[in-house]
Amino acid sequence: MIMTNIDRPSWTRTVDFTPGLYLKVRRRTTRLELADVAARIGTIPHVPEQDRVEWLERIEADLVPVSPNTIDQLARVFRLDLQVLAALAAIARGERDASLTPRICRICACSWRLPCVRGHEACA
């Protein structure tokens, strides 16, 4: 059977990635649980770890916006493409056309600027 471009599954797509979903996929790609991330980020004032887990769940569900300070803390725990995250946030706020969604991998949410490397090949 001959496959056309239409028949082939796409590794990248411009879909409904939200800021929270992007963070969730990037976290899962690094094989971290929410508790792992909560244990590695700091808050001022101090917030108990269980509360941090619940807060991160709400961020990943797009129930609360992610702040620049939180993004900085998360970027220290797992790899993020800050430009992709900023573009997704602008789309979510209605400040950018959804047709301009960055091209990211639907499996691991990597981008051409921040590709995953498996073996000697880059995912993106």
Side-chain angles (χ1 to χ4, degrees):
M1 177 178 178
I2 298 174
M3 292 181 75
T4 65
N5 285 341
I6 296 170
D7 299 328
R8 291 188 189 122
S10 173
W11 290 103
T12 57
R13 61 183 179 176
T14 53
V15 293
D16 305 334
F17 264 96
T18 62
L21 180 59
Y22 173 75
L23 293 170
K24 183 177 191 174
V25 173
R26 291 305 302 155
R27 174 184 58 78
R28 286 182 172 174
T29 297
T30 58
R31 296 187 175 113
L32 292 172
E33 297 295 326
L34 283 170
D36 299 325
V37 176
R40 295 179 187 181
I41 62 173
T43 58
I44 298 174
H46 175 73
V47 175
E49 190 172 322
Q50 181 56 36
D51 291 344
R52 282 182 274 164
V53 169
E54 292 171 4
W55 172 61
L56 291 169
E57 285 176 334
R58 289 192 303 270
I59 289 173
E60 288 184 355
D62 292 302
L63 298 175
V64 294
V66 61
S67 71
N69 290 336
T70 303
I71 293 169
D72 184 48
Q73 289 290 318
L74 294 175
R76 293 173 191 209
V77 178
F78 55 90
R79 295 175 67 203
L80 301 173
D81 186 330
L82 298 178
Q83 292 178 348
V84 166
L85 186 57
L88 293 173
I91 290 167
R93 290 188 306 266
E95 298 169 359
R96 181 175 172 161
D97 187 343
S99 67
L100 300 175
T101 301
R103 291 186 54 87
I104 51 180
C105 176
R106 65 181 174 169
I107 306 295
C108 64
C110 72
S111 65
W112 65 272
R113 284 186 300 275
L114 186 74
C116 291
V117 179
R118 295 187 174 97
H120 296 291
E121 288 189 32
C123 176

